[in-house]
Amino acid sequence: MFTFGELIVILVVVGIVAGIVSTAAGLASLVSYPVLLALGLPPVTANVTNTVGLVFFTSFGAVPASRRELRGHGQELKTLIPLTLVGNIVGAILLFIIPAATFAKVVPFFILIAGILVLIPRHIHIKQPGEIVVTPKWMTALAWLGIFLVGAYTGYFGAAGGVLMLSILSFTSAAPFVVYNAQKNLALGLANIVSAVVYGLQTPIQWRYVLPLGIGFLIGGSLGPRIVRHLPARLLKIVIGIGALGLAASLFKSAYGL
């Protein structure tokens, strides 16, 4: 067992790494969730702790640092945010209704698909200033459904929810990666706030884990968007995709005893 001081240091360091990974790649849970399990927290408690930590800190670190990328994209956010939040409320409620073991067997497939989609080269026209890009209605409908489902998934479990969102936006957004990555950070940051409220009404919050983890998330969350600006988008997508495939393999092993 770790002393209280050692626990704080571990959680702050893990939070910094996870915060950077979350805002830059959408894979915070690849870092923080397994560590919380290793520290002895039950799966649902670890999920709640991770989400609440992300709520109060990563969102406030990542979103202000992404203001440059978010500027001028309010119309897209008016669709992205409500769909994400409605889905998130549904997922957060389901966390306390459906047995976690049932959903755990489906989660690896979502993450596997997301990793593959992110790795597929995106041959999409980038909109120029003043230019109108028309998206087919069927694609728009599928994208809206996908965003709602990602919101529900994030509210229920959350691991690699950012990757799932990025995989959808990479095929539907006419903006560069740094822009829709910032949109993902804002939408899922707000979704985490909603999840935390629902979780707080259903189960006690382990604040001695949340606070040091959240401090690390705040630091890492403020650094992540700045790192994204200086790295090639294709390189980030490869890292995201490989990370998602690795997480999917790990979850397949734990869910199916492989």
Side-chain angles (χ1 to χ4, degrees):
M1 293 293 295
F2 298 100
T3 66
F4 183 67
E6 291 172 337
L7 183 64
I8 290 177
V9 172
I10 291 171
L11 290 172
V12 170
V13 172
V14 168
I16 292 173
V17 176
I20 293 173
V21 172
S22 174
T23 54
L27 282 171
S29 297
L30 184 65
V31 178
S32 53
Y33 183 71
V35 172
L36 292 171
L37 292 177
L39 291 174
L41 294 181
V44 172
T45 304
N47 183 45
V48 170
T49 300
N50 192 58
T51 300
V52 176
L54 283 168
V55 159
F56 292 106
F57 301 100
T58 300
S59 300
F60 296 114
V63 174
S66 300
R67 284 178 297 179
R68 182 196 308 176
E69 287 77 17
L70 293 171
R71 191 175 297 116
H73 293 275
Q75 194 61 41
E76 299 161 37
L77 293 172
K78 287 180 181 178
T79 300
L80 177 63
I81 291 175
L83 286 172
T84 303
L85 294 184
V86 172
N88 189 260
I89 293 171
V90 173
I93 293 173
L94 288 177
L95 177 65
F96 300 97
I97 298 177
I98 300 177
T102 301
F103 199 75
K105 294 184 179 298
V106 181
V107 168
F109 291 98
F110 282 108
I111 298 177
L112 175 64
I113 293 171
I116 293 172
L117 289 176
V118 170
L119 289 172
I120 296 175
R122 184 175 67 123
H123 299 294
I124 189 170
H125 179 71
I126 304 299
K127 185 170 67 175
Q128 301 300 320
E131 182 181 3
I132 299 176
V133 176
V134 179
T135 303
K137 291 183 178 180
W138 65 267
M139 183 179 290
T140 299
L142 282 178
W144 287 359
L145 175 61
I147 291 168
F148 170 83
L149 292 175
V150 170
Y153 169 82
T154 303
Y156 186 95
F157 184 59
V163 174
L164 291 169
M165 184 68 81
L166 283 175
S167 67
I168 293 173
L169 295 179
S170 69
F171 279 92
T172 61
S173 176
F177 175 82
V178 291
V179 172
Y180 64 77
N181 182 62
Q183 293 172 344
K184 175 266 297 179
N185 288 337
L186 175 59
L188 294 186
L190 293 174
N192 284 334
I193 294 175
V194 174
S195 293
V197 172
V198 176
Y199 294 166
L201 296 174
Q202 299 290 332
T203 186
I205 304 297
Q206 300 292 326
W207 291 107
R208 70 189 188 106
Y209 291 92
V210 168
L211 292 175
L213 184 67
I215 291 172
F217 279 149
L218 173 61
I219 298 171
S222 63
L223 293 175
R226 293 175 174 84
I227 293 174
V228 169
R229 292 183 189 129
H230 301 288
L231 291 177
R234 186 58 190 159
L235 174 62
L236 284 171
K237 289 184 180 181
I238 291 173
V239 172
I240 294 168
I242 293 175
L245 295 180
L247 179 58
S250 174
L251 293 176
F252 268 117
K253 182 177 179 180
S254 61
Y256 293 93
L258 301 178

